[in-house]
Amino acid sequence: MIEIAQDSSDQDVEVGGTRGLPASLPVLPLRETVPLPETLMPLAVGQERSVQLVNDVLAGNRMLVMVASKEPENETPGPEQLYDVGVVGSVARMLKVPDGTLRILVQGQQRVRLSTWEQEEPYLVAAITELPDVVKESPELTALQRNVLLTFSEIVEEVSYLPEELQIAVANVEDPATLSYLIAGSLRLKTEEKQELLEETDVGARLRKLSEALARELEVVSIGTKIQTQVQSEIDKGQREYVLRQQMKAIREELGESSESAEEAAELREQLAAIDLPAEARKQADRELGRLEHLPPAAAEHGVIRSYLEWIASLPWDRSTQDQLDLGHAREVLDEDHYDIDPVKDRILEFLAVRKLVGGQNADRPSGSILCFVGPPGVGKTSLGKSIAKALGREFERISAGGVRDESEIRGHRRTYIGAMPGTIIRALRDAGSNNPLFMIDEIDKMGTDFRGDPASAMLEVLDPEQNGAFRDHYLDVPFNLSNVMFITTANTLDTIPGPLRDRMEVIPLAGYTADDKLQIAKRYLVPRQLERNGLKKSWLQVSDAALKTVIADYTREAGVRGLEREIGTLCRKTAFDIASAKEGTKPRRATIGAARARELLGRQKYFDETRRRTRQPGVATGLAWTPVGGDVLFVEATAMPTSAPEPRLVITGQLGEVMKESAQAALSYVRGHVGELAPELGDAYFAGHDLHIHVPAGAIPKDGPSAGITMATALVSLLTGRCVREAVAMTGEITLTGQVLPIGGLKEKVLAAQRHGITTIVAPARNEGDVEEIPEALRSKLTFHWVQEIGEVLDVALERG
């Protein structure tokens, strides 16, 4: 690869002369440089193959072809990385330098097209065809030539990198082709634009394109000159003001008047002296204090420096809280704030126990892994973080990472920007008032990336115990020790969290709640909280268990309890309205809300048990799915239509992803391959005369994944045999072409979704049998599980007897 370089004075060797144009020539690739005819080009040759090319050329006819590279970063481009049009050049001078590279001076001659490649090793050689200029004499050509010359002269007068001698040289060029090459070579154009000028054989068209480029360049130059003039004017004004203010300062000192800046600096110095700052932060603060003392209050830098020092003084460099590592107390707090989820509570207590032991042995040791709570919305991830902070006696700060796209939101803005401020980590530390708070980074899976940077990458340092001991915010530009901060993150799914960031966290999954769990949570936490928020006393309103079960079954269908709390809030608000509407002085009577009253207050039922209705006819099967917001039940429908087309089709609808479409193809292939066993009366001729259509309703919702494979196969077999799928059966599992059932993920979430829909029989892969331990015993006792290895076992359980 070749780069423009300056001449050297070492080992000067003179060569020269030109000869006729041969049929093929060696090709010298140029990086970020476009050769032009009739121009002299200094080049630096460093690549081994290029050095050999130059040596061979000097030993022969001294001619080569210079061609620009399409990929400047490629050191050794091949034929496909080079443009097709280049310039024949004659090596006029060659200089050897001590580092082994060459400096050559090449005189550009004819423009040529590379027709075929004859050689790639040890260097490129190509057959060439000359591309002469096409000149059509006309008044328009003359006008274009004059316009280009005039515009270029204006640019030369405005910019410093073009000498005045160039303007004189251009003015003496009469040939329009030569003029276009000379001016194009002098301008700082993009490689693509300059290559386009080179490839244009029509001189008039080339001058027109060059005229457009010159007009753009002149506009940019004019704007730059205007800006420079304004800046210089502001500088002169600022210098004048500075001199006057210095004179005013001297006058004040002679009169014995105090300086406002000195007073502010003294106040800040007193605040900083009371803080045990690290050495680097102390040095930076003292330097900025010295600058502040000598700046007038009206100076632009005065406010910037003062704000910076105020931030330094407001941070908890030496302030911390004492941890309460009493595991018994922590258990009481977790049990008081959260119902059930004992495995999660046990893992949190283990985490605290390790911190207790590690902190007692070596305070400088990194604080261990970062916890990441992953689960559907509304299962208590954020409130768990608050409970941990309460148990430890630490300050709690929640940082929302959802929708953050700017890396500066995490690391802050540099002080060179107007309105710069620290990032969210430093701001949260200021708000917490201690250097060892608990930070809950919420929705870490929803951080984005765009041209402003990657905030997930900035989080790598924050969440790494080995690195965050010297976290450097761009605004502060001094290290702050984050190793004492306890970080807990939350997410709905792990799929969107980058691998390096996920690797720094220990994942604790939180699945959804069963109907019994929701009932207990509503009675213990949600109802009392909504009574308080709506100004109701416990003696005024009682919500019965029947009413809560009705709300859970008919008005909510979610993994968490957020929607349940909203519906309970609706019951409380309507009751509060009735009490407030009573006559003044009337004592409120105790109201009890039962199932019928709950339906009356909440209105039309929102959710229905559709399993029985949907599976009433053949070709419909019930499957189980996992989503970031919890498990769900989906119905797979299959139907067949006679066709006269030579090739029967399989139509798949329902906004399915590629993996799910492939599962449908695999299910159909298995059914066709075993139609003799499944529906011998139909035979393969049935598929030749029918189009098949598989549809998964709720078409507005994207769906993907392999776990619906056995559900699709069951729906197809049900369609072919006319046997309905049992209404209380739901299934999940991936199918292979040989009919094997492969394991899936998210079994607990899927089983909870099945319970919400009234399903009592679950068909799942045998290799997932160990996952059943995660499901509460109370729920397991109400369900029947069938662990299957092949699709035949699925059909035996799912299909009604024929």
Side-chain angles (χ1 to χ4, degrees):
M1 185 62 69
I2 305 304
E3 296 179 351
I4 295 290
Q6 298 296 324
D7 287 346
S8 173
S9 59
D10 298 332
Q11 301 182 17
D12 194 346
V13 178
E14 291 281 356
V15 294
T18 60
R19 296 181 182 177
L21 193 63
S24 61
L25 284 174
V27 177
L28 187 63
L30 305 183
R31 181 168 60 184
E32 297 181 344
T33 303
V34 177
L36 294 171
E38 305 180 32
T39 58
L40 197 61
M41 300 187 65
L43 303 174
V45 181
Q47 291 292 326
E48 182 178 348
R49 69 172 186 175
S50 299
V51 171
Q52 182 176 350
L53 182 152
V54 172
N55 290 331
D56 291 349
V57 165
L58 291 175
N61 58 9
R62 302 181 299 278
M63 298 182 70
L64 49 79
V65 179
M66 299 175 289
V67 181
S69 173
K70 300 176 182 177
E71 301 178 3
E73 67 279 358
N74 191 341
E75 293 288 338
T76 56
E80 61 276 3
Q81 283 90 40
L82 299 178
Y83 287 103
D84 296 333
V85 177
V87 173
V88 173
S90 177
V91 180
R93 177 186 289 259
M94 186 272 287
L95 305 170
K96 294 182 179 179
V97 292
D99 61 2
T101 61
L102 303 179
R103 302 292 187 269
I104 60 174
L105 198 61
V106 184
Q107 175 63 51
Q109 298 177 1
Q110 301 98 319
R111 175 183 51 213
V112 294
R113 181 181 300 278
L114 307 183
S115 53
T116 58
W117 293 93
E118 299 182 353
Q119 175 182 313
E120 294 190 23
E121 295 295 339
Y123 48 77
L124 302 175
V125 176
I128 59 176
T129 305
E130 184 174 359
L131 293 177
D133 284 326
V134 178
V135 182
K136 301 176 181 178
E137 296 292 345
S138 65
E140 181 184 3
L141 182 65
T142 304
L144 284 170
Q145 186 174 354
R146 291 179 181 178
N147 181 68
V148 166
L149 184 60
L150 178 61
T151 308
F152 183 71
S153 299
E154 294 179 8
I155 293 176
V156 172
E157 293 175 356
E158 294 290 340
V159 300
S160 59
Y161 67 87
L162 295 177
E164 294 182 1
E165 292 80 1
L166 181 60
Q167 182 177 1
I168 299 173
V170 169
N172 292 325
V173 176
E174 296 182 358
D175 181 56
T178 304
L179 178 68
S180 65
Y181 292 136
L182 182 57
I183 293 179
S186 304
L187 293 177
R188 294 176 178 175
L189 301 177
K190 295 180 179 178
T191 301
E192 296 80 4
E193 191 172 4
K194 192 172 288 189
Q195 180 69 26
E196 186 180 353
L197 291 173
L198 172 64
E199 295 179 1
E200 181 58 64
T201 58
D202 188 329
V203 175
R206 188 190 310 145
L207 286 173
R208 187 174 293 105
K209 293 179 181 179
L210 185 60
S211 179
E212 294 174 0
L214 287 169
R216 291 197 306 271
E217 183 70 13
L218 180 60
E219 183 178 2
V220 172
V221 169
S222 301
I223 294 174
T225 302
K226 181 180 179 181
I227 294 174
Q228 182 64 28
T229 303
Q230 293 175 346
V231 170
Q232 187 62 42
S233 175
E234 292 294 329
I235 291 175
D236 294 341
K237 180 180 178 182
Q239 290 176 341
R240 177 174 176 273
E241 291 180 354
Y242 175 75
V243 172
L244 292 175
R245 293 188 184 283
Q246 288 297 107
Q247 293 175 351
M248 292 174 62
K249 178 181 177 182
I251 293 172
R252 289 196 185 98
E253 290 177 353
E254 289 294 328
L255 295 174
E257 297 179 357
S258 61
S259 171
E260 183 179 347
S261 295
E263 291 177 358
E264 290 182 349
E267 182 180 349
L268 287 170
R269 189 181 297 278
E270 183 179 348
Q271 295 177 15
L272 293 170
I275 302 173
D276 184 15
L277 290 175
E280 187 173 348
R282 175 68 66 186
K283 180 179 179 181
Q284 178 74 3
D286 290 342
R287 181 166 58 247
E288 296 297 329
L289 277 170
R291 294 180 60 197
L292 183 66
E293 289 174 339
H294 295 89
L295 278 177
E301 280 288 300
H302 183 276
V304 175
I305 296 175
R306 185 185 61 199
S307 297
Y308 175 79
L309 292 172
E310 288 174 347
W311 269 105
I312 293 286
S314 66
L315 292 177
W317 300 92
D318 55 355
R319 299 193 302 273
S320 61
T321 57
Q322 185 68 34
D323 282 350
Q324 300 175 13
L325 295 174
D326 183 346
L327 299 183
H329 171 69
R331 167 64 78 175
E332 291 177 3
V333 171
L334 291 173
D335 289 341
E336 178 185 348
D337 294 344
H338 296 85
Y339 174 76
D340 197 27
I341 59 172
D342 289 331
V344 177
K345 293 178 183 177
D346 291 341
R347 181 61 192 88
I348 293 172
L349 291 174
E350 293 168 6
F351 182 79
L352 298 181
V354 171
R355 292 184 68 89
K356 180 178 181 180
L357 296 178
V358 171
Q361 295 173 9
N362 187 353
D364 296 329
R365 186 181 300 176
S367 57
S369 58
I370 310 299
L371 295 183
C372 178
F373 297 147
V374 179
V379 296
K381 299 185 295 294
T382 305
S383 60
L384 266 176
K386 293 180 180 179
S387 297
I388 295 173
K390 179 180 176 183
L392 286 172
R394 291 194 176 199
E395 298 294 332
F396 176 85
E397 287 294 329
R398 176 183 171 273
I399 299 174
S400 178
V404 173
R405 293 180 175 273
D406 190 352
E407 177 243 359
S408 297
E409 287 292 323
I410 308 298
R411 302 187 68 96
H413 300 79
R414 301 189 187 278
R415 283 189 289 157
T416 52
Y417 298 105
I418 296 176
M421 61 188 305
T424 184
I425 301 296
I426 295 298
R427 296 201 302 270
L429 279 168
R430 190 270 313 268
D431 296 340
S434 69
N435 60 19
N436 65 337
L438 187 149
F439 280 176
M440 172 67 76
I441 303 179
D442 232 350
E443 311 294 354
I444 198 170
D445 58 325
K446 295 178 179 61
M447 286 192 297
T449 302
D450 63 7
F451 65 92
R452 291 167 291 189
D454 183 4
S457 298
M459 277 290 183
L460 293 178
E461 180 186 2
V462 175
L463 297 181
D464 192 340
E466 301 293 341
Q467 300 181 38
N468 61 15
F471 173 72
R472 188 179 289 268
D473 185 272
H474 287 160
Y475 180 83
L476 296 182
D477 202 25
V478 293
F480 194 100
N481 183 10
L482 297 180
S483 61
N484 295 323
V485 178
M486 183 175 181
F487 291 98
I488 296 178
T489 64
T490 72
N492 295 132
T493 178
L494 294 175
D495 296 340
T496 55
I497 302 177
L501 183 58
R502 186 168 61 245
D503 185 58
R504 283 162 168 77
M505 302 184 293
E506 180 174 354
V507 176
I508 297 181
L510 282 80
Y513 295 113
T514 66
D516 292 339
D517 290 340
K518 292 181 180 181
L519 177 62
Q520 295 300 323
I521 292 171
K523 291 169 62 177
R524 299 186 186 190
Y525 307 104
L526 306 184
V527 171
R529 185 159 61 202
Q530 287 300 319
L531 288 175
E532 181 181 354
R533 290 180 178 177
N534 289 278
L536 298 174
K537 296 180 181 179
K538 293 182 180 180
S539 60
W540 293 355
L541 176 63
Q542 179 184 3
V543 183
S544 67
D545 289 0
L548 293 175
K549 290 178 180 178
T550 299
V551 174
I552 293 170
D554 297 342
Y555 293 91
T556 63
R557 186 159 289 174
E558 57 181 346
V561 294
R562 199 167 285 161
L564 175 59
E565 185 171 10
R566 280 196 296 269
E567 299 299 336
I568 293 174
T570 300
L571 297 177
C572 293
R573 285 196 306 274
K574 292 183 179 296
T575 303
F577 175 78
D578 292 340
I579 294 175
S581 300
K583 293 182 179 180
E584 188 174 351
T586 303
K587 183 178 180 181
R589 293 185 300 174
R590 181 180 180 85
T592 301
I593 296 180
R597 179 59 176 166
R599 288 193 178 92
E600 180 184 345
L601 293 175
L602 297 179
R604 183 177 59 86
Q605 181 177 342
K606 296 180 180 179
Y607 297 98
F608 302 87
D609 182 9
E610 293 186 312
T611 308
R612 178 176 300 178
R613 180 179 65 85
R614 299 290 286 273
T615 58
R616 194 174 293 167
Q617 58 187 14
V620 181
T622 306
L624 299 174
W626 180 92
T627 71
V629 295
D632 200 0
V633 168
L634 54 83
F635 298 95
V636 176
E637 301 175 348
T639 188
M641 302 150 287
T643 180
S644 58
E647 291 292 335
R649 297 179 303 158
L650 170 63
V651 181
I652 305 172
T653 56
Q655 200 174 162
L656 309 186
E658 289 300 322
V659 176
M660 204 165 180
K661 290 179 181 178
E662 292 174 359
S663 295
Q665 292 282 358
L668 177 59
S669 297
Y670 172 81
V671 173
R672 291 191 64 174
H674 296 78
V675 67
E677 307 166 17
L678 301 172
E681 69 280 2
L682 297 180
D684 196 57
Y686 178 84
F687 295 99
H690 291 80
D691 287 338
L692 294 177
H693 186 170
I694 296 178
H695 177 65
V696 183
I701 303 174
K703 314 168 192 70
D704 205 0
S707 63
I710 65 172
T711 311
M712 293 179 173
T714 303
L716 288 171
V717 175
S718 171
L719 174 68
L720 297 178
T721 60
R723 297 160 60 189
C724 294
V725 177
R726 291 187 173 94
E727 63 184 36
V729 175
M731 60 201 75
T732 179
E734 180 179 355
I735 188 174
T736 69
L737 292 176
T738 59
Q740 298 182 44
V741 180
L742 301 184
I744 45 81
L747 182 64
K748 182 179 180 181
E749 289 82 358
K750 294 177 180 180
V751 171
L752 292 174
Q755 184 222 23
R756 291 197 294 270
H757 287 76
I759 292 169
T760 59
T761 302
I762 307 294
V763 180
R767 288 166 61 182
N768 284 107
E769 188 171 0
D771 297 340
V772 77
E773 298 298 328
E774 299 178 1
I775 302 172
E777 176 62 32
L779 176 57
R780 274 185 283 167
S781 63
K782 300 177 182 179
L783 299 173
T784 301
F785 289 89
H786 292 273
W787 307 106
V788 297
Q789 295 182 340
E790 296 182 350
I791 188 63
E793 302 173 53
V794 178
L795 300 177
D796 290 341
V797 174
L799 296 180
E800 295 178 348
R801 298 298 176 187

